[in-house]
Amino acid sequence: MRLSLASALTLIAATAAHAQTVYPIDRAEILAGARFDFKVEFADRLAPGQAQVTVNGADAAAAFGKAASFIEREEGKDQSALILRDVALAQPGTYRIRASDGAHTREVTWTVYDTGQRQAKNVILFIGDGMSPAHRVAARLLSKGVAEGKSFGKLAVDDMPHTALVATAGSDSIITDSANSMSAYTTGHKSAVNAMGGYADRTADPFDDPKVETIASLVKRRLGMAVGIVTNTEIEDATPAAVVAHTRRRNTYDEIVEQLYAAQPDVLMGGGSASFLPKTIPGGRRADDIDYIGKFRDAGYAVAQTAAELPAATKADRLLGLFHTGNMDGALDRRILKAGTVRKFPDQPDLTDQVAAALDVLSRKPQGFFLMVESGLIDKFTHALDMERAAYDTIMLDNAVKLARDWAAARGDDTLILVTPDHNHPISLIGTIDDDMTQAPKAPLRDRVGVYDKAGFPNYPQPDRDGYPAHVDVSRRLAIFSASSPDYYETFRPKLDDPNDPTVTGSVQGTFEPNERYRDRPGAMLRLGNLPKYLNASVHSGEDVILTASGPGSERVRGSMDNTEVFRVMAEALGLGAAQITTAGASPGGPPR
């Protein structure tokens, strides 16, 4: 009997409703020797011995060399589960997992891969959080200038020898957030929105889900390498946290700090000191009474809390830098506008200062290092439709990439450098805005948006030596708009007083309304959004992101890739596969030198 497509999909859906759920999921690619939790969720309550789970035909416990735990009533419901924690597969090849409850059977396939010899001593992964193509073009136009259709220079991220498009969908949705997209980079496994370091199962506990080993754990455990995490967001935020953390809920900041402390990265820098301190201490917000800054200090870390304190702190073997109670301020506010929270935190380091400090510490580690650097406010400003601030932080990221590339070149290029967003935003550069900022607009600013030949070229002033124009309130500005938005007042003008805050809490609980603060600004117009009213900001989009790379192992970056393959590029460059490891900190035939 031939089924129509609709009938086939109906049959698949009906079968799936009763079939087992297996973690790791179907088509997972797993590094040989990497640790993970294996779990099978059964839809119904089973008696002990009724569940049959095999790996390549052998009983799962025998295949993994470890006894399985059987839960007859998971979460107190008539649903059973089988779990094996902290297992690994040493032999590369195809693994077929079969799970049966006697009435329903589910089969999934995994690919376990090895790596060749180690090529790179170090890996630096730069994340422009939410950095879309429009951000890159805006950064190039602002920092290099343009005339007669040609820019006067390239960004450091433009001038890297290898490029790929990277797909970012998660295990539960075509649209990701920073937690699961970053987790794909750091583990090689898919995850769900708001989850990192593991698969999101059906239990309520955000910390008991099936875990997968992160690259930070792997490089320390297998090669004795150092680990660094640098960001300008809260250090507990999704992207930096996903380097080491395992949680279903990205907002579990107190527990993420505990996991950061347990992981003991050699360098840890960013904002977010409030989650390191109990709320009984000024500036703290932890629910418990633990002072984690004190614990890090007692563990041998030098602690820096201002830019002035950073140079001395780099003399220590391990460094904790916390420069803000929350997210740090962006480049436009710190360098030019002195807005945001700059008056309260006047001595925050630039991302380039943080990267230089991290390299100073990590370069002294004989077995090499893995360093993640995030310019995280690109995403946060874009969510808030504050495009000038997002563009300036893209320039800052590019400056940090140039610093790292110059550092690597001076060493003989022993370092793999990757630059990528974790996901996209639906923004586009559509032209320019013609507006004399010294006068009230004579016509609605919407009518002054120039497209095609009427766009011409922007007239920002010459940038300074770091690529930043001295002001953004020029008469022909870049027009960058988002395809997603809540209801808000569009001014078509830079937000010079403070970062944009497009909405406020609505009169109906759980909804948001336009921020009346902007209603009477010159040229303001109410824009009806296209998002549900429970959203207060622009959202992520599902287009592929641009990955650029240089250094040993970068030739693997090409064509179209999945975000889990970025992990594999790093693993192969470092020779992390089981067959290549002889002792912790040593790999035959390759770096470190």
Side-chain angles (χ1 to χ4, degrees):
M1 179 181 67
R2 173 175 290 180
L3 293 175
S4 68
L5 177 60
S7 298
L9 292 174
T10 301
L11 179 61
I12 291 170
T15 304
H18 297 283
Q20 289 62 256
T21 302
V22 179
Y23 303 109
I25 59 177
D26 191 32
R27 295 180 291 154
E29 295 184 346
I30 302 172
L31 174 68
R35 294 170 177 168
F36 61 93
D37 294 342
F38 173 60
K39 182 181 183 183
V40 179
E41 294 179 338
F42 296 92
D44 300 315
R45 180 179 179 179
L46 307 181
Q50 187 178 351
Q52 301 296 319
V53 181
T54 61
V55 178
N56 283 349
D59 179 75
F64 288 116
K66 179 176 288 191
S69 298
F70 179 74
I71 303 172
E72 187 171 345
R73 299 189 75 245
E74 188 175 47
E75 296 284 281
K77 301 176 182 179
D78 286 335
Q79 55 188 22
S80 298
L82 182 143
I83 305 174
L84 287 91
R85 301 282 187 186
D86 200 26
V87 299
L89 293 168
Q91 295 302 316
T94 299
Y95 288 76
R96 293 178 175 83
I97 292 78
R98 186 177 187 271
S100 175
D101 62 4
H104 308 97
T105 299
R106 176 80 193 281
E107 294 186 358
V108 303
T109 301
W110 303 335
T111 299
V112 175
Y113 64 92
D114 197 359
T115 62
Q117 292 186 352
R118 186 173 178 180
Q119 296 175 268
K121 180 175 183 179
N122 314 303
V123 170
I124 306 176
L125 174 63
F126 283 95
I127 303 293
D129 199 311
M131 182 176 66
S132 305
H135 290 119
R136 289 177 53 148
V137 175
R140 188 187 310 123
L141 292 172
L142 286 163
S143 66
K144 307 302 179 185
V146 61
E148 296 181 308
K150 281 193 173 184
S151 65
F152 290 107
K154 291 183 178 181
L155 300 174
V157 297
D158 294 333
D159 197 27
M160 301 180 81
H162 300 285
T163 302
L165 291 175
V166 176
T168 61
S171 63
D172 63 337
S173 173
I174 59 173
I175 306 299
T176 73
D177 77 324
S178 293
N180 63 338
S181 54
M182 186 61 182
S183 185
Y185 292 159
T186 59
T187 70
H189 291 259
K190 293 288 186 180
S191 194
V193 170
N194 293 322
M196 63 184 82
Y199 290 98
D201 68 10
R202 65 190 175 190
T203 64
D205 187 342
F207 303 108
D208 72 347
D209 300 60
K211 298 178 177 62
V212 291
E213 191 169 14
T214 69
I215 192 168
S217 171
L218 278 160
V219 299
K220 291 182 73 172
R221 178 172 68 87
R222 312 213 68 184
L223 296 174
M225 294 173 63
V227 173
I229 305 171
V230 171
T231 184
N232 61 344
T233 69
E234 294 175 298
I235 198 70
E236 315 85 7
D237 202 12
T239 301
V243 177
V244 303
H246 308 274
T247 176
R248 175 67 182 92
R249 299 294 174 197
R250 57 178 285 180
N251 61 354
T252 52
Y253 275 18
D254 284 7
E255 293 81 2
I256 287 171
V257 169
E258 294 172 22
Q259 293 186 40
L260 286 166
Y261 178 76
Q264 300 272 298
D266 300 80
V267 172
L268 185 63
M269 280 192 281
S273 62
S275 293
F276 281 68
L277 299 170
K279 55 189 174 185
T280 54
I281 296 177
R285 67 179 177 211
R286 291 190 63 83
D288 57 32
D289 60 355
I290 303 175
D291 176 358
Y292 271 93
I293 294 179
K295 285 178 70 70
F296 272 96
R297 187 178 280 115
D298 291 344
Y301 285 75
V303 177
Q305 295 182 288
T306 64
E309 295 174 354
L310 193 53
T314 63
K315 303 297 186 282
D317 289 334
R318 297 198 289 182
L319 167 63
L320 172 67
L322 293 171
F323 309 107
H324 201 291
T325 53
N327 295 313
M328 297 169 66
D329 286 291
L332 183 57
D333 288 313
R334 284 185 296 99
R335 302 178 70 103
I336 296 170
L337 299 179
K338 307 303 178 185
T341 61
V342 171
R343 292 180 181 85
K344 186 176 180 181
F345 298 93
D347 193 23
Q348 303 170 57
D350 191 81
L351 190 65
T352 56
D353 300 325
Q354 292 175 265
V355 171
L359 292 175
D360 192 3
V361 175
L362 296 172
S363 62
R364 301 196 296 266
K365 307 299 181 179
Q367 299 300 337
F369 63 82
F370 168 80
L371 170 63
M372 191 288 301
V373 180
E374 180 201 26
S375 183
L377 300 183
I378 300 171
D379 173 77
K380 298 186 186 301
F381 290 140
T382 306
H383 275 299
L385 305 172
D386 198 332
M387 303 307 178
E388 283 81 11
R389 284 180 170 84
Y392 271 60
D393 269 38
T394 307
I395 296 171
M396 181 173 66
L397 172 69
D398 193 66
N399 288 338
V401 172
K402 183 179 186 306
L403 186 156
R405 292 189 66 193
D406 290 347
W407 175 89
R411 294 169 52 90
D413 287 320
D414 61 356
T415 302
L416 170 64
I417 299 176
L418 304 162
V419 186
T420 184
D422 47 355
H423 56 75
N424 250 318
H425 273 278
I427 66 167
S428 289
L429 171 58
I430 68 161
T432 59
I433 298 171
D434 187 4
D435 170 33
D436 185 350
M437 288 284 291
T438 65
Q439 303 178 27
K442 297 176 182 177
L445 283 177
R446 178 177 178 178
D447 294 340
R448 293 174 176 257
V449 175
V451 299
Y452 296 111
D453 57 311
K454 293 182 176 58
F457 299 101
N459 61 353
Y460 296 98
Q462 283 288 110
D464 63 18
R465 59 182 294 177
D466 294 322
Y468 300 103
H471 56 96
V472 293
D473 52 344
V474 295
S475 60
R476 191 174 287 267
R477 303 182 298 277
L478 296 178
I480 303 175
F481 300 131
S482 176
S484 71
S485 68
D487 296 348
Y488 75 107
Y489 288 102
E490 175 60 78
T491 66
F492 294 90
R493 287 181 158 178
K495 287 71 181 174
L496 302 181
D497 45 1
D498 277 313
N500 194 32
D501 190 9
T503 64
V504 295
T505 301
S507 55
V508 177
Q509 186 176 6
T511 67
F512 294 89
E513 297 174 353
N515 191 342
E516 293 291 317
R517 169 185 176 187
Y518 303 106
R519 180 176 183 176
D520 296 324
R521 299 288 175 93
M525 58 180 294
L526 177 63
R527 276 196 161 180
L528 298 179
N530 57 3
L531 297 176
K533 288 186 177 292
Y534 64 78
L535 289 169
N536 66 340
S538 177
V539 296
H540 301 168
S541 58
E543 302 91 358
D544 292 356
V545 298
I546 300 172
L547 165 66
T548 52
S550 63
S554 62
E555 67 279 357
R556 298 179 180 89
V557 173
R558 61 186 183 274
S560 176
M561 304 173 65
D562 189 78
N563 55 5
T564 56
E565 294 178 75
V566 176
F567 171 86
R568 185 164 180 170
V569 168
M570 297 186 291
E572 290 183 342
L574 292 172
L576 280 174
Q580 296 300 317
I581 307 299
T582 55
T583 61
S587 177
R593 296 187 290 273

